[in-house]
């Protein structure tokens, strides 16, 4: 084969070597053409064996997370988020070993309408906490496409300054269609971050809706970020979410928008007078801040610390966490039974014909459900689940 590479050089590559041009041309694999078929034949070359990545043990996961190692923490979260039956037992043993080190962080949920500036607020607020010496974890939940099932997971990219902070750990997760935009494994992820020594956990949701009770059931302090000029009709619709909030924050209170933010703050403050407080013994108020100008953030942090102090003194803090644990147990039972039912081979085989009968109007939905439930064998499904877990 000739040594001249002119036929291989793209037109945009200079003919002479130039140190200012960071590009070079490399030969591909030399080939010969079969004289009969014209197909290219590649020379025999020894295959380079790539060593398999060594799997971490349960003890290595526990030790690494407990020491605050970010790589091990990321791997542990990936293990927790895995839906593979073979990873379930290992993930639970890791979680069980780290439970004594959890429960010391302040859990803060942040929600709001799209465009309210939740991500910008979290970046400015998280940076402020890191500079004060706190270790922060951000669980940013990205929306999942209902068509392709994919997620961009771009929150870490958007929070460029916060992602550079050594005291901050950001974990984007897909919502996977869950209500309130909270990933199914968010509770376990939160516990792992606490075991890694995080002092504050910030949970960002996709948007706002009537199903945000999922967020409320896993955090201590719940904050609603709102915009100016939302309109009375929209405010009335949002009353459901306002009843869950411990604080309402009017963001983007800067520049020409400052006066409008003051008016909006007053309107939300008046609305709080007619809403039952989300936390017993704590009065919900409206505040304003500017995530861009970083104003009002210290005041909000003081409100959160006061909330923690008041609720811990009254016992509400601990009682809420105990209720959340029981809610977690109930939701896990529902999820486990749901998976056992739909993964049962008999149910999977009968489901298409039953659905077809319902759509054809031959069988009512209630009758179809009754027949499927009668066909379901809990013992058979449990044995099948155990066999898949032990593989």
């Amino acid at each position: 084969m000739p040594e001249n590479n002119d036929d291989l050089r793209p037109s945009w590559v200079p003919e002479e070597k130039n140190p200012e041009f960071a590009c070079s041309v490399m030969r591909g694999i030399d080939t010969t053409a079969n004289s009969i078929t014209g197909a290219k034949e590649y020379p025999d070359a020894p295959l380079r064996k790539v060593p398999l990545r060594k799997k971490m043990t349960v003890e290595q996961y526990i030790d690494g997370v407990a020491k605050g190692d970010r790589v091990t923490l990321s791997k542990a979260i990936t293990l927790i988020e895995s839906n593979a039956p073979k990873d379930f037992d290992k993930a639970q043993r890791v979680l069980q070993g780290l439970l004594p080190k959890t429960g010391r962080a302040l859990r803060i949920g942040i929600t709001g309408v799209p465009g309210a500036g939740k991500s910008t607020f979290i970046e400015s607020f998280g940076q402020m906490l890191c500079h004060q010496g706190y270790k922060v974890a951000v669980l940013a939940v990205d929306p999942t496409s209902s068509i392709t099932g994919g997620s961009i997971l771009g929150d870490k990219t958007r929070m460029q300054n916060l992602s550079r902070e050594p005291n901050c750990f950001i974990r984007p997760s897909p919502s996977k269609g869950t209500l309130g935009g909270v990933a199914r494994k968010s509770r376990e992820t939160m516990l792992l971050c606490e075991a890694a020594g995080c002092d504050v956990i910030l949970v960002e949701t996709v948007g706002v809706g009537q199903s945000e009770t999922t967020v409320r059931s896993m955090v201590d302090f719940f904050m609603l970020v709102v915009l100016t000029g939302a309109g009375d009709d929209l405010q009335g619709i949002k009353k459901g979410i306002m009843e869950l909030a411990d604080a309402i924050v009017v963001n983007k209170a800067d520049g020409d928008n400052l006066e409008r933010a003051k008016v909006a703050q007053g309107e939300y403050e008046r609305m709080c007078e007619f809403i039952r407080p989300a936390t017993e013994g704590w009065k919900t108020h409206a505040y304003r801040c500017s995530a861009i100008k970083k104003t009002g953030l210290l005041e909000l942090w003081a409100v959160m610390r006061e909330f923690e102090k008041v609720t811990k003194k009254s016992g509400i803090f601990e009682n809420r966490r105990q209720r959340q644990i029981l809610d977690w147990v109930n939701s896990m039972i529902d999820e486990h039974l749901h998976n056992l039912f739909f993964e049962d081979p008999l149910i999977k085989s009968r489901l298409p014909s039953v659905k077809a009968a319902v759509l054809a109007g031959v069988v009512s939905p209630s009758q179809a459900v009754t027949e499927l439930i009668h066909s379901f064998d809990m013992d058979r499904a449990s044995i099948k689940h155990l066999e898949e877990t032990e593989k």
Side-chain angles (χ1 to χ4, degrees), residues 58-59 61-62 65 73 76-77 79-80 87-102 185-195 328 332:
V58 173
E59 291 73 21
Y61 276 116
I62 295 175
V65 173
L73 176 59
I77 294 175
L79 179 68
I80 288 289
D87 292 334
F88 178 79
D89 181 64
K90 187 175 184 179
Q92 295 308 308
R93 282 189 287 148
V94 170
L95 195 60
Q96 187 68 33
L98 292 169
L99 273 181
K101 298 182 179 296
T102 63
K185 300 291 187 178
S186 295
R187 288 183 175 90
E188 289 94 335
T189 303
M190 190 165 55
L191 292 179
L192 290 178
C193 292
E194 289 182 351
W328 184 6
M332 291 292 287

Side-chain angles (χ1 to χ4, degrees), residues 165-191:
E165 293 288 342
N167 284 342
C168 183
F169 177 82
I170 304 177
R171 178 73 179 200
S173 302
S175 64
K176 300 179 182 177
T178 53
L179 296 179
V182 178
R184 181 172 56 89
K185 300 291 187 178
S186 295
R187 288 183 175 90
E188 289 94 335
T189 303
M190 190 165 55
L191 292 179

